[in-house]
Amino acid sequence: MPVDVPDKEVQAIYDLALEVARKAGVLIREAFVKEKSVETKDSEADLVTETDQAVEKFVHDMIKAKYPDHKFIGEETFAETGQKCELTDEPTWIIDPIDGTTNFVHRVQEVSFSLGVTINKKPVIGIVYAPVKEEMFTARLGQGAFCNDQRLKANSITELKKSLGIVEGGSARDPAVVQDKITNIHSILKNCHGFRAYGSCAINLCHVAAGRGDFYVEYGVHIWDFIAGVLIAQEAGASVCDPEGGELSLLRRRLLCACTPELIVQIPPILTHLDMGSD
Amino acid sequence: MPVDVPDKEVQAIYDLALEVARKAGVLIREAFVKEKSVETKDSEADLVTETDQAVEKFVHDMIKAKYPDHKFIGEETFAETGQKCELTDEPTWIIDPIDGTTNFVHRVQEVSFSLGVTINKKPVIGIVYAPVKEEMFTARLGQGAFCNDQRLKANSITELKKSLGIVEGGSARDPAVVQDKITNIHSILKNCHGFRAYGSCAINLCHVAAGRGDFYVEYGVHIWDFIAGVLIAQEAGASVCDPEGGELSLLRRRLLCACTPELIVQIPPILTHLDMGSD
């Protein structure tokens, strides 16, 4: 049954979300400049750091102290236990403590803290904070998207051949998955102006929101990677869907985002679609 | 016959180079936030803007006013006339007014002004200024590399499988060239932690210098794209060579840069080598 959360309460949730993001950002920035010890997860390319785990615990405790009944989906909790996500109508905080962990380990600046809040299974708050670059991206449903309080507007490109795509190699090392991703990069290179790869799903979505790229497609990401960025992109005027063209499924681990409705429909036909399972 | 330029004179050249870069950066930043009209060059992906041409003329005139006898190689001059580069022992200013023109047109922040000075065919001064990000990268032969006056040090990674590569799709649209570039991206993805693509040769070299990536390889770039970045990377401790492993040829339109001597020798065997002609 849908829950009813008054606007004032959503505002209070947003205020806490911002405070949480700022504090998480301080932890991330401090660790970024220090020597780091690293353990490996699914593959050598999928790096998890002590900071990742420490930030998630800190954030979890801070949220639970104020909202003990709210649901919490954190990347580290799910990565460790392997449990399935259950997205309910209840207010749900969905966290990626560090989006772009490979960047973090290699001292590449595109690392971010990503926090989305869903109510009735819809994102209503999205915050992506890139503390090394000091960019705070924020959005609330129906109220626009901002970077450091400056309003964001996605590009107005409508032709595929004039567009610049964002795409990633990703961390999966299954040869068939890698081959399909390479095929997609090849197709984007043939059909568009070019591609860029920054290594952070959350920041890639913010790039489209900020007009620093025209579309972004990825297979293999998780709800905690994209939930905040999706709202930020949508509130900046961008469109989001499943890479095959249907409605975005929040748990199906893949997404397509483009700056205009005209552009987004031209992208599914040039892609090889991967089924990466569900969260 | 080698020319002899006293240290004091090199210092004066450096001072002018810095002044030129700062002024060019102001022009680029102003144009970046304005509406732009674009003409196409070799292909739709290789965009040239009015700003590109205006910055080159401005810089050329400023240098010629002080050093009328110095040689000048500018990207726009050579792109327009199709003439071959002649690199002599004389002091030579080598300019790319906007490196990352596709980024510029798509409002992606990785755009830079690149200026290298060679004496006796060797780079002695390198400046890459990214005015939108307000990062000024500088290097003088034997005196280290800096970003906004902070000393740069390349990473210490020595194992290919632990490295993060930077690579580009580039602007060439010849299907055989595109296929070879895709093959290289695939190989890097299979053998390394991953790849990034930022769309600016000069900035990519600065990323390796700053430890924001472990190696960078590209086929199809020109001397004006890389001459400054090469010196900055070397002065930060990185190694530079031809992608097949021999000495870098300044006119052969291809290069490989890696953070350590141990890493750089592991990269040529995993690449398909392209011959892109010479400047």
Side-chain angles (χ1 to χ4, degrees):
Chain A
M1 210 173 81
V3 298
D4 183 29
V5 180
D7 285 351
K8 203 176 147 188
E9 185 62 20
V10 175
Q11 179 65 45
I13 294 172
Y14 177 74
D15 291 342
L16 178 62
L18 259 188
E19 190 189 340
V20 160
R22 281 202 197 97
K23 289 186 173 168
V26 170
L27 293 178
I28 293 168
R29 191 166 45 226
E30 280 174 1
F32 187 85
V33 294
K34 274 193 209 152
E35 207 54 50
K36 292 169 290 290
S37 76
V38 170
E39 51 176 294
T40 62
K41 204 159 54 175
D42 288 332
S43 75
E44 284 216 45
D46 198 356
L47 296 157
V48 150
T49 63
E50 293 161 11
T51 313
D52 221 2
Q53 294 159 3
V55 170
E56 180 155 322
K57 184 173 185 321
F58 171 82
V59 164
H60 174 270
D61 293 352
M62 202 169 153
I63 294 164
K64 283 289 177 181
K66 180 150 185 194
Y67 295 110
D69 296 337
H70 284 188
K71 305 289 181 189
F72 183 89
I73 295 174
E75 190 244 356
E76 284 309 310
T77 311
F78 281 80
E80 271 180 22
T81 62
Q83 67 184 113
K84 282 271 176 189
C85 286
E86 194 196 356
L87 193 60
T88 68
D89 287 340
E90 296 299 315
T92 304
W93 298 66
I94 302 169
I95 307 283
D96 190 357
I98 303 178
D99 190 66
T101 44
T102 300
N103 282 348
F104 184 87
V105 170
H106 287 272
R107 299 176 180 273
V108 175
Q109 296 175 311
E110 276 80 17
V111 297
S112 66
F113 171 80
S114 174
L115 184 167
V117 178
T118 59
I119 297 174
N120 297 315
K121 304 190 187 75
K122 301 277 180 207
V124 296
I125 291 167
I127 295 177
V128 173
Y129 182 36
V132 183
K133 305 177 86 175
E134 294 192 28
E135 292 191 323
M136 175 76 84
F137 295 92
T138 57
R140 275 172 288 178
L141 185 63
Q143 294 182 55
F146 300 83
C147 177
N148 296 344
D149 298 324
Q150 198 164 4
R151 185 133 193 172
L152 299 178
K153 171 93 187 62
N155 285 339
S156 54
I157 296 251
T158 56
E159 285 181 74
L160 185 61
K161 69 176 179 179
K162 291 188 177 170
S163 70
L164 185 68
I166 305 174
V167 65
E168 301 291 343
S171 59
R173 286 298 172 272
D174 175 302
V177 171
V178 170
Q179 179 60 63
D180 284 348
K181 292 197 170 196
I182 289 293
T183 301
N184 283 338
I185 292 171
H186 196 167
S187 181
I188 289 168
L189 195 50
K190 282 192 289 192
N191 288 284
C192 310
H193 263 167
F195 71 86
R196 300 289 176 264
Y198 303 103
S200 161
C201 171
I203 292 179
N204 288 346
L205 288 160
C206 293
H207 281 329
V208 176
R212 304 173 188 165
D214 304 314
F215 70 88
Y216 166 50
V217 62
E218 189 145 9
Y219 301 85
V221 285
H222 296 275
I223 186 171
W224 47 79
D225 296 317
F226 64 73
I227 190 79
V230 159
L231 185 66
I232 291 164
Q234 287 174 323
E235 288 294 325
S239 300
V240 178
C241 68
D242 181 81
E244 285 194 62
E247 195 183 343
L248 176 70
S249 159
L250 292 181
L251 296 178
R252 222 188 140 192
R253 302 197 53 198
R254 54 190 217 172
L255 88 162
L256 170 61
C257 173
C259 60
T260 62
E262 293 85 353
L263 179 61
I264 204 165
V265 297
Q266 298 167 57
I267 301 166
I270 70 162
L271 297 172
T272 299
H273 300 291
L274 289 83
D275 184 347
M276 304 294 286
S278 66
D279 277 323
Chain B
M1 211 176 78
V3 297
D4 183 29
V5 181
D7 285 352
K8 204 176 148 188
E9 186 61 21
V10 175
Q11 179 66 46
I13 295 172
Y14 178 74
D15 292 341
L16 178 63
L18 259 188
E19 190 190 341
V20 160
R22 282 202 197 96
K23 289 188 173 166
V26 170
L27 293 178
I28 294 168
R29 193 167 42 227
E30 281 174 2
F32 187 85
V33 294
K34 274 192 209 150
E35 208 54 52
K36 291 168 291 290
S37 75
V38 169
E39 51 176 292
T40 63
K41 205 159 50 174
D42 289 332
S43 74
E44 284 215 44
D46 199 357
L47 297 155
V48 150
T49 64
E50 293 162 11
T51 312
D52 220 1
Q53 293 159 3
V55 170
E56 181 156 322
K57 184 173 186 319
F58 171 82
V59 165
H60 175 269
D61 293 352
M62 202 166 154
I63 295 164
K64 283 289 176 183
K66 180 147 185 195
Y67 295 110
D69 297 335
H70 284 189
K71 305 290 181 189
F72 184 90
I73 296 175
E75 190 244 357
E76 284 310 309
T77 312
F78 281 81
E80 271 179 22
T81 62
Q83 66 184 113
K84 282 270 176 190
C85 285
E86 195 196 354
L87 192 59
T88 68
D89 286 340
E90 295 300 314
T92 304
W93 298 67
I94 303 170
I95 306 283
D96 190 359
I98 303 179
D99 189 65
T101 44
T102 300
N103 282 348
F104 183 87
V105 171
H106 287 272
R107 297 175 180 276
V108 175
Q109 295 174 312
E110 276 80 16
V111 296
S112 65
F113 171 79
S114 175
L115 184 168
V117 179
T118 59
I119 297 174
N120 297 317
K121 303 190 186 77
K122 300 278 180 206
V124 295
I125 290 168
I127 295 178
V128 174
Y129 182 34
V132 183
K133 303 177 87 176
E134 296 192 28
E135 290 190 324
M136 176 76 85
F137 296 92
T138 58
R140 276 173 288 178
L141 185 62
Q143 295 183 53
F146 300 83
C147 177
N148 297 343
D149 298 323
Q150 196 163 6
R151 184 133 194 172
L152 299 179
K153 171 89 188 64
N155 286 338
S156 54
I157 296 251
T158 56
E159 285 182 73
L160 185 61
K161 67 177 182 179
K162 290 186 177 169
S163 70
L164 185 69
I166 304 175
V167 65
E168 301 291 344
S171 60
R173 285 298 171 270
D174 176 301
V177 171
V178 170
Q179 178 60 62
D180 284 347
K181 292 198 170 197
I182 289 292
T183 301
N184 283 338
I185 292 171
H186 195 167
S187 181
I188 289 168
L189 195 50
K190 281 192 288 190
N191 287 285
C192 310
H193 263 166
F195 71 86
R196 300 289 177 265
Y198 302 104
S200 161
C201 171
I203 292 178
N204 288 347
L205 287 161
C206 293
H207 281 328
V208 176
R212 304 171 186 166
D214 305 314
F215 70 89
Y216 165 50
V217 62
E218 189 145 11
Y219 301 85
V221 285
H222 296 275
I223 186 171
W224 47 80
D225 296 318
F226 64 73
I227 190 78
V230 158
L231 186 65
I232 292 164
Q234 287 174 323
E235 287 294 326
S239 300
V240 178
C241 69
D242 181 81
E244 286 194 62
E247 196 184 342
L248 177 72
S249 159
L250 292 180
L251 296 177
R252 218 186 145 193
R253 301 195 55 198
R254 56 189 214 172
L255 88 162
L256 170 61
C257 174
C259 59
T260 62
E262 293 86 353
L263 179 62
I264 204 165
V265 297
Q266 297 167 57
I267 300 166
I270 70 162
L271 296 172
T272 300
H273 300 290
L274 289 83
D275 185 347
M276 305 294 286
S278 66
D279 277 322

